[in-house]
Amino acid sequence: MDPFALLRRAGLDPGAHAPERLSGGDMGEVWRVGAWVIKTHPAPPPGLFPAEARGLAALATAGARTPQVFWAGEEGLVLAYLPPGPPDWSDLARQLARLHTHRLEGYGEAAPVYLGRFPLPEGEGNDWAGFWVERRLEPLIEATRTRLGGLAGELERFVRAFPWPAEGPVRIHGDLWQGNVLMTRAGAALIDPSSWRGERAVDLAMMELFGGFPQAFWSAYEALAPVPEAVRAALPAYQLYFLLVHVHFFGAGYLAPIARTLKHYSAL
């Protein structure tokens, strides 16, 4: 969609600014027009952008820095543009420690949530292992069953038997790779969330899966919110969630790390 059209729907005047294409990854198109960022998609699933706006608002309420949302609709989002600034890993550590140590009630979200464009089942629960397996992992296993082939059965048995550690529900970003962290003039900011009430291990697992977070971050985070050994040991198992969604969107190239993870735990 024309980014100017979304600005007009938001009641904003683009003035003489020309649209500048920004990196939108694989999940949409992103434009900067002056003081605003416009996110669109040629065929968004229903509720995708309103879900992202809710996630940004929830993270901000919980103490994270996020871009202001000026307008959200089925066609896209209009956000504040955050000018880039120097890396501030200590600031990111403080924000995430604040999110990850403030206990909430129950897991999940009553409203729709997406992981990328994958719709996560709505609903809430109090039993972490049951919620995680039934509402997060098994839907992804089912969606990727054809590509998983013989791994599907082994994976199902593993996720049902694994002793998923639980510290308690907190507000999580839900898709926290380095590309979803902006370093701005005001400090670190979080974007593109898949936010719900879950275990912080979900965020930590994604942060370690593809790297990009330096020791300066981890040292500051551990000082504020130490990670128990049981949680740290379970992070490769939690990474299966993100590997499965990558299989779903990008194909069989992500099967090998799934197989390695299962082998890692079978050898313990």
Side-chain angles (χ1 to χ4, degrees):
M1 171 171 276
D2 175 9
F4 285 154
L6 291 188
L7 279 176
R8 287 191 290 270
R9 292 191 187 185
L12 301 171
D13 180 7
H17 295 288
E20 173 191 352
R21 188 76 174 263
L22 303 178
S23 173
D26 299 283
M27 295 296 138
E29 299 176 353
V30 185
W31 304 84
R32 178 190 174 189
V33 179
W36 304 289
V37 169
I38 297 93
K39 295 189 66 174
T40 66
H41 189 278
L48 175 69
F49 291 114
E52 181 174 340
R54 285 192 300 272
L56 289 169
L59 289 169
T61 298
R65 182 178 293 106
T66 64
Q68 180 182 350
V69 178
F70 287 95
W71 183 85
E74 290 298 324
E75 303 93 334
L77 281 176
V78 178
L79 309 167
Y81 173 72
L82 302 179
D88 191 340
W89 298 109
S90 294
D91 181 54
L92 178 64
R94 287 190 295 270
Q95 292 184 56
L96 291 181
R98 191 156 51 240
L99 293 181
H100 291 166
T101 57
H102 180 67
R103 293 287 176 261
L104 302 172
E105 292 294 323
Y107 297 105
E109 207 72 18
V113 178
Y114 284 85
L115 179 57
R117 296 191 311 277
F118 186 86
L120 299 172
E122 298 170 36
E124 300 162 297
N126 293 312
D127 170 53
W128 171 244
F131 179 89
W132 175 241
V133 173
E134 295 167 14
R135 302 290 186 94
R136 295 296 181 259
L137 290 171
E138 288 187 340
L140 281 164
I141 293 172
E142 191 58 39
T144 55
R145 185 173 297 278
T146 300
R147 286 176 170 170
L148 288 170
L151 278 176
E154 184 181 357
L155 193 53
E156 285 176 316
R157 291 188 292 273
F158 174 80
V159 302
R160 290 171 185 165
F162 189 77
W164 301 100
E167 300 177 275
V170 298
R171 173 61 55 183
I172 62 172
H173 177 282
D175 192 12
L176 196 51
W177 66 291
Q178 192 188 20
N180 286 343
V181 176
L182 298 180
M183 291 299 177
T184 79
R185 293 176 188 171
L190 303 182
I191 61 170
D192 297 351
S194 171
S195 187
W196 43 282
R197 301 187 311 280
E199 287 288 329
R200 67 163 166 163
V202 178
D203 277 347
L204 300 181
M206 185 54 164
M207 295 178 79
E208 291 200 349
L209 180 59
F210 297 124
F213 294 88
Q215 188 57 45
F217 164 80
W218 291 111
S219 296
Y221 180 86
E222 283 275 1
L224 295 167
V227 181
E229 182 53 38
V231 173
R232 183 161 301 286
L235 293 184
Y238 277 103
Q239 288 169 351
L240 291 169
Y241 173 65
F242 299 105
L243 291 170
L244 282 166
V245 83
H246 277 72
V247 170
H248 177 67
F249 285 119
F250 308 120
Y254 290 91
L255 294 178
I258 291 176
R260 285 196 298 270
T261 300
L262 295 176
K263 185 177 181 180
H264 164 76
Y265 286 104
S266 69
L268 296 179

